[in-house]
Amino acid sequence: MSTEFCLDDWGLYVHIPFCQARCTYCDFNTVTHMGPDQHPQYMQAVTQQWMQATLPKGRLVSIFFGGGTPSLVDPPLIEKFLASVISRVGSLAGLEITLESNPGTVDLDRLAAFKEAGVNRLSIGAQAMQDHHLKALNRIHGVDDIYRAVDWAKSAGIENFNLDAIYGLPGHTLTQWQETLRALVSLQPDHLSLYRLQVEAGTPLADGVKRGALLLPEEDNVADMADWAAAILTPQGYQQYEISNWAQPGRESLHNQLYWTFNSYLGLGAGAHSFHANRRWWTLRGVRRYMLAQAAGDSVIEGEETLSFDEQMREYMWLGLRRRSGVAKHRFQERFDRLSDEVFAKTLEHLQGLGLIVNDARTVRLSERGWDVANYVFRYFVADGIS
Amino acid sequence: MDQQRIRNFSIIAHIDHGKSTLADRLIEHTGTLTQRQMTEQVLDSMDLERERGITIKAQAVRLDYVHQGQPVELNLIDTPGHVDFTYEVSRALQACEGALLVIDAAQGVEAQTLANLYMALEHDLAVIPVINKIDLPNADPDRVIEELVEIGLDGTEAILVSAKQGIGIEAVLNAVVERIAPPKGVPQGPLRALIFDSRFDAYKGVLVYIRVIDGSLKVGDTMRFMANNKEFQVTEIGVFRPHPTAIDQLSTGEVGYFAAAIKTVQDTRVGDTVTSVHNPAKEPLPGYRPAQPMVFSGLYPVDSQDYGRLREALEKLQLNDAALTFEPETSVALGFGFRAGFLGLLHLEVIQERLEREYGLALITTAPNVVYQVSLVKNEVLRVDNPAMMPPAGDILEIAEPVVDANIIAPSDYIGAVMELCQERRGTYKDLSYLDAKRAMIQYRLPLGEIMYDFFDQLKSRTRGYASFDYQVAGLEPADLVRMDILLNGEIVDALSVIVHRDRAYYRGKALAEKLRELIPRQLFEVPIQAAIGGRIVARETVKAMRKDVLAKCYGGDITRKRKLLEKQKEGKRRMKSVGNVEIPQEAFMAILRVGDPS
């Protein structure tokens, strides 16, 4: 059902921080004040970072342009960057190459050009299928733009596409969410990412909620929304292969899964995160600072952490449990030369007793109930959760 | 100093009428401290006191003043300004011959003004009315003078003052010298000194604050505390200016301190008499009373590993707080902790805050309760200071609870509202009189347990902040009380048990269950909350099971952030107390305090 990577398969993440406007809920690393004139310099810095990077020894399987709004960057710049990738790994054949897009920033020509550049998977940020919600979120597009973007993507020959949507919006009703789900399904996406709205400190959304100007739906209503996603998507053949992600069989995002399988990934661009072996590191968040440092030949790394052996095993567990298929015991053993059943004996027994996990001969995975309260399970594996 | 040239006085006032500011001005005016040395409210030395604007411990400061060309020794004894500390105030007043009664020129006479006045008159003190804050735009000294007449004082004797602007300070000092009598007492007699406070000093041991009534005390003397017959040799004698300054001896009528390598303030109970071992007094000074906590609460460490640290912290606080009592207690729900006794709620809050702030302890404090006197069928009498320890109803003949006599002063428009509140709180009407055309004094007898929680808040909100309130403890009275237990998930959580009046049990139970439902977060499973009396369930609520608990989007592989979020959540869980399968947040144990009156 979902892909099994080789231990040393790795991915490449490229952060494109540019946006035309900032969504009310967004606390990602984005900038709205830098125009297209800045894009070449930024892509040059990204390319430079790539050329200087030490590459993991395995096989590159995925490239993901995330943002921000990667679709704002002109296709030739993406093409040029991908050429530099080819220069180091030989070929892009067989890779999943995803580009995130805002429906308000694309047209047929542009999408065709991205396809030409090598992009074979498009992620479209729909978020909602009601204009008033889109407006309230400060999205720059309407519902019509979403339909058009999907049409153009298909016309451009990008056959694999994803739609993003958010539930639990201020004033969101179950009926509206059902309407959104049905509209999304009618577009026949290969993949759907459904997120519960998170109120992040410092965002206009958080401010509105605090002031009482924005009213979030009740906890039970939001839970209903999550349950309705399953009720509508499952009959259409979608499988929830990971907590927030649904796909038609065989269309699971490779890139998304790399994060949960403890495979390496290299992050390029401002505020991008990388992981390899036992080390996580991230680059300067400030876009200008990132570009200046890169141009000056200075280090662009802002911070890093090294995971102890214990921490690695714990992370492996709770990250792996995000996938429907769970943690494959032989892979745990392969990686750590230890048995997960022994390392986490007490925790696993306890969680099984609570009915939150299924622990069979080959895998440990969340039960149906565990799926609902995944954080409850994960908390057993963070910090002093080891038994 | 010639006994005739000594004046001992204190300042008494309703809260916020400017007692501490006046004290500051007197200190400044007599040159005891230069302006540069003055920190605001010099006498309130504990941070907490300064923060809350209240005086918790008594202080004494010696002021050197020149009156009509002659030096005079003025001893200002500052008293605690809260009803929790009434006994301590009375002992401080006993050390004086006079008092400045400070009244806010805008607010007028308030409940504490009266309580303080009565107490001062009980001790035969000369009372000098001081009308403060005359600089306020809404000051109305004439009206205040009328009110003074109404409460039996000579209004023409009032001194008009603005302590803030330094107006009238000289007049106050002159009045102290002229209207307050010098101390009586027999210089040649056996030593009798009254303890009005004590403080633990890490280097000198306990500093005992005394007023010498008869005889004198000097370094090297061996003295005895008459209440417990413990003997110590005096190592240091001094006065406060306002910082401790060593001198040779304290004579009849003087106020100061001594140190004698005393290890704990428990030995130096306020109100006790100090005498000399070689020439002991026959009789102690009147009025001594052992410390008597009124309010009890369970103190439990959130982390059971901290039990030892909590004990040490309590022991340290006790070094300096004779009124704090504690003994080990075990709760099925909370594990090992202590049942601690306090003079009142403020005292409890101060201790709790100091434990958390100064000792870094995470605590669970159970809802405070009073002490009940329980007469059993088998002819025994029990003191019950923990609701969970209340015997089964069948064994009980009668329960008596502590009651207080309360004075409430409020504008006459609010008489109805005040009486309604007192009735709701099971009060017995005593008296109603008018201070002037617009203000009334309402007297009720009320159960202490009923005024402990939000009585004062309710009083303020129902009178738009115009009412003032004071009370004194008035013994025990029988009442139809029952123990109400709270069951979570079918199991009694002993730390949540409360004693309630039978007639109100149903409402209380319902309100408490509702409040707990709000305070207890959703758990993995549904949690029924029940309130029960004996075997009978009087209220039931349910905390629904948690439906979803998931992390959303992972932004660009930022696992670190996700992990930190989970760690933070886990930390939050750790602060909760796990009872059975249910995780209970700290606030829930105080839920009863947050239950609004079911009216």
Side-chain angles (χ1 to χ4, degrees):
Chain A
M1 143 172 144
S2 52
T3 322
E4 287 293 329
F5 296 112
C6 294
L7 276 186
D8 56 2
D9 285 352
W10 59 282
L12 183 60
Y13 176 84
V14 183
H15 190 68
I16 309 289
F18 309 111
C19 281
Q20 280 184 1
R22 205 174 167 84
C23 305
T24 60
Y25 53 85
C26 178
D27 77 333
F28 296 169
N29 191 26
T30 60
V31 291
T32 53
H33 62 275
M34 293 172 118
D37 54 316
Q38 309 277 337
H39 297 178
Q41 193 196 341
Y42 182 79
M43 288 309 293
Q44 193 185 343
V46 168
T47 308
Q48 205 174 17
Q49 192 193 349
W50 160 253
M51 294 309 288
Q52 291 161 354
T54 309
L55 304 188
K57 64 175 168 27
R59 182 169 59 109
L60 176 65
V61 296
S62 162
I63 302 173
F64 193 100
F65 295 93
T69 314
S71 54
L72 277 176
V73 172
D74 283 338
L77 288 174
I78 298 293
E79 187 166 11
K80 203 168 148 199
F81 170 74
L82 287 175
S84 76
V85 176
I86 295 171
S87 78
R88 293 199 69 186
V89 301
S91 158
L92 298 180
L95 267 67
E96 174 187 282
I97 304 179
T98 308
L99 182 108
E100 285 188 332
S101 67
N102 182 305
T105 63
V106 292
D107 57 31
L108 178 57
D109 290 346
R110 200 170 177 85
L111 290 179
F114 281 129
K115 161 86 176 157
E116 191 60 30
V119 172
N120 53 25
R121 185 171 179 272
L122 190 70
S123 178
I124 301 170
Q127 316 309 5
M129 294 303 269
Q130 294 81 17
D131 280 332
H132 76 277
H133 278 309
L134 292 172
K135 201 165 173 221
L137 296 173
N138 201 33
R139 299 288 296 175
I140 58 166
H141 61 91
V143 174
D144 285 351
D145 295 311
I146 298 169
Y147 285 104
R148 276 196 284 272
V150 171
D151 281 348
W152 287 327
K154 287 176 181 168
S155 305
I158 303 175
E159 281 163 10
N160 190 356
F161 77 100
N162 164 64
L163 292 172
D164 276 351
I166 307 176
Y167 60 95
L169 303 172
H172 217 184
T173 65
L174 183 58
T175 315
Q176 288 165 354
W177 175 241
Q178 289 165 336
E179 183 183 285
T180 295
L181 288 167
R182 295 201 175 97
L184 293 174
V185 167
S186 75
L187 293 169
Q188 296 184 296
D190 304 270
H191 189 281
L192 282 158
S193 290
L194 307 181
Y195 305 117
R196 176 183 181 165
L197 180 71
Q198 271 179 293
V199 180
E200 301 289 355
T203 58
L205 173 71
D207 186 48
V209 169
K210 203 173 152 195
R211 279 188 293 113
L214 299 175
L215 198 63
L216 295 173
E218 292 287 325
E219 191 59 38
D220 280 326
N221 296 341
V222 179
D224 286 342
M225 291 183 195
D227 289 344
W228 268 97
I232 290 178
L233 298 183
T234 311
Q236 302 295 321
Y238 292 96
Q239 287 175 350
Q240 190 175 10
Y241 69 95
E242 189 266 343
I243 282 179
S244 309
N245 290 289
W246 298 75
Q248 291 290 339
R251 291 299 204 178
E252 299 86 4
S253 161
L254 285 182
H255 197 83
N256 188 290
Q257 295 185 85
L258 285 169
Y259 297 147
W260 317 126
T261 52
F262 230 54
N263 282 72
S264 301
Y265 48 90
L266 189 59
L268 306 176
H273 288 252
S274 304
F275 172 63
H276 181 59
N278 59 352
R279 183 168 166 258
R280 297 193 184 281
W281 70 98
W282 47 95
T283 53
L284 295 165
R285 245 180 102 92
V287 176
R288 200 164 300 279
R289 279 175 56 221
Y290 166 80
M291 290 197 289
L292 287 173
Q294 191 65 60
D298 296 338
S299 167
V300 292
I301 295 182
E302 187 170 81
E304 65 173 303
E305 61 175 10
T306 305
L307 303 177
S308 69
F309 189 65
D310 270 358
E311 285 165 333
Q312 291 175 56
M313 290 192 291
R314 284 189 232 154
E315 283 199 7
Y316 191 92
M317 294 301 289
W318 70 264
L319 291 172
L321 287 170
R322 281 188 70 107
R323 299 205 305 163
R324 178 69 87 183
S325 55
V327 173
K329 293 184 178 179
H330 74 277
R331 289 179 65 89
F332 184 96
Q333 191 182 359
E334 211 178 317
R335 175 150 192 141
F336 300 112
D337 201 21
R338 303 271 306 270
L339 298 175
S340 51
D341 277 349
E342 283 172 13
V343 177
F344 299 105
K346 255 173 81 179
T347 302
L348 293 174
E349 193 188 329
H350 179 69
L351 291 170
Q352 205 170 358
L354 293 172
L356 299 179
I357 57 165
V358 177
N359 189 9
D360 62 25
R362 295 177 49 229
T363 63
V364 186
R365 56 187 192 277
L366 295 175
S367 67
E368 281 308 311
R369 177 65 175 142
W371 203 243
D372 284 338
V373 295
N375 281 358
Y376 187 95
V377 175
F378 298 164
R379 281 191 289 268
Y380 277 90
F381 293 96
V382 300
D384 59 352
I386 202 155
S387 51
Chain B
M1 174 66 71
D2 175 359
Q3 203 170 318
Q4 292 305 310
R5 305 213 58 82
I6 300 172
R7 298 292 182 275
N8 297 320
F9 70 104
S10 64
I11 309 180
I12 50 184
H14 190 74
I15 191 162
D16 286 341
H17 281 197
K19 186 174 81 161
S20 298
T21 316
L22 179 61
D24 287 354
R25 284 301 92 76
L26 297 179
I27 292 168
E28 201 179 272
H29 196 85
T30 52
T32 309
L33 280 184
T34 62
Q35 200 136 20
R36 202 171 51 80
Q37 293 169 310
M38 294 289 297
T39 45
E40 218 168 309
Q41 302 190 1
V42 196
L43 295 186
D44 296 343
S45 58
M46 286 166 69
D47 284 351
L48 266 177
E49 294 188 355
R50 238 174 248 166
E51 246 170 62
R52 295 179 166 225
I54 48 165
T55 307
I56 295 167
K57 294 187 80 74
Q59 298 265 19
V61 56
R62 177 176 290 191
L63 313 171
D64 293 318
Y65 183 58
V66 177
H67 181 68
Q68 293 173 352
Q70 298 275 348
V72 194
E73 174 187 316
L74 305 182
N75 292 304
L76 162 58
I77 298 174
D78 193 23
T79 57
H82 192 275
V83 65
D84 281 5
F85 308 101
T86 308
Y87 171 73
E88 284 67 17
V89 177
S90 78
R91 295 309 89 192
L93 293 183
Q94 204 186 342
C96 300
E97 279 77 32
L100 301 173
L101 178 66
V102 180
I103 306 129
D104 185 305
Q107 308 282 332
V109 171
E110 297 283 9
Q112 265 180 288
T113 318
L114 270 182
N116 282 317
L117 170 65
Y118 294 155
M119 211 188 287
L121 294 177
E122 243 170 68
H123 290 95
D124 287 327
L125 302 195
V127 175
I128 303 171
V130 173
I131 301 178
N132 189 23
K133 308 196 191 179
I134 55 162
D135 57 306
L136 289 180
N138 56 340
D140 188 356
D142 291 340
R143 181 177 69 89
V144 177
I145 288 172
E146 275 174 40
E147 289 186 358
L148 290 176
V149 175
E150 200 63 38
I151 60 173
L153 290 171
D154 184 349
T156 58
E157 287 192 344
I159 304 170
L160 301 187
V161 165
S162 164
K164 199 168 150 208
Q165 300 195 347
I167 301 167
I169 304 303
E170 185 78 25
V172 170
L173 289 165
N174 285 333
V176 166
V177 180
E178 289 160 13
R179 296 194 213 163
I180 296 175
K184 299 192 190 75
V186 189
Q188 299 77 22
L191 171 69
R192 286 205 300 176
L194 173 75
I195 303 179
F196 62 87
D197 202 1
S198 56
R199 179 163 67 82
F200 184 78
D201 179 287
Y203 301 102
K204 298 172 184 166
V206 177
L207 300 185
V208 187
Y209 296 26
I210 52 165
R211 151 75 195 270
V212 180
I213 305 290
D214 298 316
S216 62
L217 184 66
K218 57 184 193 304
V219 176
D221 285 356
T222 306
M223 45 60 56
R224 172 187 300 152
F225 293 117
M226 294 185 80
N228 59 12
N229 281 320
K230 290 201 177 169
E231 294 176 7
F232 295 92
Q233 193 173 30
V234 175
T235 56
E236 181 179 323
I237 284 183
V239 293
F240 300 96
R241 293 176 178 279
H243 305 294
T245 312
I247 56 167
D248 296 335
Q249 77 161 22
L250 284 170
S251 312
T252 305
E254 289 192 309
V255 173
Y257 71 88
F258 72 86
I262 304 163
K263 291 196 185 68
T264 158
V265 292
Q266 309 303 317
D267 286 338
T268 62
R269 175 65 185 148
V270 170
D272 192 10
T273 304
V274 178
T275 193
S276 152
V277 167
H278 301 295
N279 182 17
K282 288 194 182 64
E283 292 287 325
L285 296 160
Y288 173 76
R289 202 175 78 193
Q292 197 180 31
M294 298 302 295
V295 170
F296 288 79
S297 177
L299 297 179
Y300 291 85
V302 172
D303 180 352
S304 55
Q305 307 275 324
D306 284 339
Y307 177 78
R309 279 182 58 221
L310 175 57
R311 176 198 291 278
E312 279 166 33
L314 283 167
E315 278 167 357
K316 274 189 193 152
L317 289 178
Q318 210 179 35
L319 286 180
N320 205 13
D321 186 344
L324 170 68
T325 65
F326 63 91
E327 51 189 51
E329 169 180 276
T330 316
S331 153
V332 181
L334 301 178
F336 293 105
F338 298 93
R339 174 102 335 210
F342 308 91
L343 293 174
L345 271 199
L346 176 76
H347 189 207
L348 185 163
E349 277 170 34
V350 167
I351 296 294
Q352 188 189 347
E353 209 166 316
R354 293 188 65 187
L355 287 170
E356 288 180 349
R357 209 191 277 193
E358 293 168 31
Y359 296 89
L361 289 160
L363 291 182
I364 285 176
T365 313
T366 63
N369 55 269
V370 298
V371 192
Y372 300 94
Q373 187 177 296
V374 182
S375 308
L376 298 178
V377 177
K378 58 175 180 179
N379 225 2
E380 265 177 48
V381 176
L382 283 182
R383 250 179 102 261
V384 175
D385 61 12
N386 177 354
M389 304 303 278
M390 184 63 79
D395 297 355
I396 298 174
L397 210 56
E398 185 185 82
I399 302 176
E401 62 178 339
V403 292
V404 300
D405 283 329
N407 287 329
I408 297 163
I409 294 181
S412 20
D413 294 351
Y414 296 107
I415 292 174
V418 170
M419 292 177 71
E420 196 182 309
L421 175 63
C422 290
Q423 298 290 357
E424 280 168 18
R425 300 302 172 97
R426 300 194 280 123
T428 312
Y429 171 83
K430 291 279 171 193
D431 193 22
L432 170 68
S433 57
Y434 286 84
L435 279 181
D436 56 37
K438 287 183 183 152
R439 299 208 309 155
M441 179 161 79
I442 304 141
Q443 290 176 303
Y444 263 87
R445 175 158 288 189
L446 287 155
L448 178 62
E450 292 282 336
I451 58 167
M452 270 192 346
Y453 303 150
D454 60 341
F455 182 81
F456 192 43
D457 291 338
Q458 281 291 325
L459 183 67
K460 278 191 293 188
S461 81
R462 295 188 194 192
T463 60
R464 298 177 177 223
Y466 284 120
S468 61
F469 167 62
D470 199 272
Y471 67 82
Q472 22 191 330
V473 177
L476 293 163
E477 280 186 4
D480 191 7
L481 300 170
V482 289
R483 181 176 98 193
M484 186 165 71
D485 293 319
I486 297 295
L487 293 82
L488 295 182
N489 223 1
E491 281 178 52
I492 292 183
V493 180
D494 56 358
L496 288 172
S497 296
V498 287
I499 305 293
V500 294
H501 194 269
R502 192 183 301 276
D503 294 348
R504 288 153 182 276
Y506 173 76
Y507 295 103
R508 280 271 169 165
K510 193 164 179 296
L512 184 52
E514 275 170 15
K515 182 53 77 180
L516 284 169
R517 189 199 58 210
E518 278 170 40
L519 292 173
I520 298 174
R522 289 189 177 197
Q523 319 265 320
L524 217 43
F525 310 99
E526 184 178 284
V527 179
I529 301 169
Q530 293 159 301
I533 294 171
R536 193 163 53 92
I537 305 294
V538 295
R540 184 192 164 104
E541 293 285 335
T542 306
V543 179
K544 284 195 264 181
M546 181 204 312
R547 281 188 60 190
K548 305 280 176 190
D549 183 6
V550 289
L551 280 185
K553 189 155 180 143
C554 176
Y555 158 64
D558 188 357
I559 302 298
T560 310
R561 180 173 168 176
K562 274 204 167 340
R563 192 191 63 228
K564 283 186 176 152
L565 184 65
L566 287 166
E567 284 168 355
K568 212 173 122 193
Q569 291 172 346
K570 186 162 185 162
E571 180 63 34
K573 298 259 175 210
R574 228 199 314 272
R575 281 177 212 280
M576 295 201 218
K577 202 80 190 180
S578 211
V579 178
N581 259 339
V582 187
E583 285 166 338
I584 310 175
Q586 277 165 273
E587 314 88 79
F589 293 97
M590 295 286 255
I592 188 81
L593 296 189
R594 298 172 57 182
V595 170
D597 213 40
S599 55

